Amino acid sequence: QVQLVESGGGLVQAGGSLRLSCAASGRTFRNYVMGWFRQAPGKEREFVAGILWDGGNIFSSNSVRGRFAISRDVAKNMVYLQMNSLKPEDTAVYYCAAGSGGWGPTKWFESGYEYWGQGTQVTVSS
């Protein structure tokens, strides 16, 4: 079955950096969008960034553009989220997700993704 396993979360000071990794397995991800979402306490899960598995096209939210970068390694079945200039408001559980059917309007939302990882905690101290 499909498995998405995140790693790389932790505690970092404001202004610091972290790189999250997502190991994907269980199927071929051709024509999939691989996404990162986050959920802070008391808030809804929100889209952070997505990347097309095949072509590498990237989509990101306004709140992280210029600070976070998503990438993928097709040979290793890995997806990454490089997070720089972290702020306390970036504190959340970060989830890796996979959604079929290429990019479309649904991919900005949870409902556009069939598979989810368990999440990894990122805490940014001020």
Side-chain angles (χ1 to χ4, degrees), residues 2-125:
V2 174
Q3 278 195 313
L4 302 175
V5 180
E6 304 97 335
S7 61
L11 173 64
V12 64
Q13 287 190 332
S17 298
L18 281 175
R19 188 175 86 150
L20 305 183
S21 299
C22 173
S25 63
R27 64 161 297 126
T28 176
F29 291 98
R30 293 192 67 180
N31 205 36
Y32 269 68
V33 175
M34 308 302 289
W36 285 97
F37 283 73
R38 66 185 181 185
Q39 188 167 20
K43 295 189 176 181
E44 293 186 353
R45 195 170 295 189
E46 66 170 348
F47 176 84
V48 175
I51 187 168
L52 287 174
W53 189 259
D54 300 326
N57 303 64
I58 290 171
F59 308 86
S60 58
S61 70
N62 290 336
S63 60
V64 305
R65 196 168 296 145
R67 299 189 298 125
F68 293 9
I70 188 171
S71 62
R72 90 270 190 256
D73 186 327
V74 174
K76 296 181 178 179
N77 266 24
M78 296 290 295
V79 183
Y80 305 100
L81 185 68
Q82 178 66 43
M83 305 186 295
N84 300 324
S85 302
L86 282 160
K87 306 175 181 179
E89 51 263 44
D90 294 318
T91 295
V93 178
Y94 283 70
Y95 297 90
C96 180
S100 62
W103 183 259
T106 63
K107 292 302 191 291
W108 294 103
F109 307 100
E110 289 182 74
S111 59
Y113 298 81
E114 298 97 293
Y115 304 107
W116 292 84
Q118 293 297 309
T120 185
Q121 176 71 47
V122 171
T123 303
V124 184
S125 64

